[in-house]
Amino acid sequence: MGIFILLTGTGTALPNCLSLALSDFQDVIGTAGAFFSLGYYLLVSLFTFGMSKLHNGTLLVMLLYFLAIGSLMLLLAKKYLLPRNK
């Protein structure tokens, strides 16, 4: 049941987020949305594949994997998304 709720939320939110993000690209919104969706699903597939390769039957690997992904996302956000003070 939990996976159903998660996937329903993602399936509902992703097109809405894309339509807001691509509001300035009305002439190519279908193509741009397709590329953004492709990138999203490629990342999800990559992270799932990584977890499948590291899985050894314990929860410790999953915890460390999620910690590593979260840390990487935090570092990328600090570098590319947060404003720089000069």
Side-chain angles (χ1 to χ4, degrees):
M1 183 67 174
I3 298 292
F4 173 75
I5 293 170
L6 179 73
L7 291 176
T8 302
T10 303
T12 305
L14 188 61
N16 290 329
C17 293
L18 284 176
S19 68
L20 291 174
L22 299 172
S23 62
D24 293 337
F25 302 97
Q26 292 296 323
D27 53 336
V28 291
I29 197 163
T31 305
F35 280 124
F36 277 127
S37 295
L38 175 67
Y40 169 78
Y41 287 114
L42 284 176
L43 283 175
V44 169
S45 299
L46 178 72
F47 290 139
T48 304
F49 178 76
M51 186 66 232
S52 73
K53 288 297 180 188
L54 294 174
H55 180 67
N56 64 1
T58 66
L59 290 178
L60 180 61
V61 175
M62 185 173 70
L63 174 68
L64 293 175
Y65 186 66
F66 288 164
L67 184 62
I69 290 173
S71 299
L72 179 67
M73 290 171 60
L74 183 63
L75 289 173
L76 290 173
K78 284 179 102 174
K79 183 172 182 174
Y80 294 111
L81 297 179
L82 296 178
R84 295 185 177 107
N85 294 329
K86 292 184 179 184

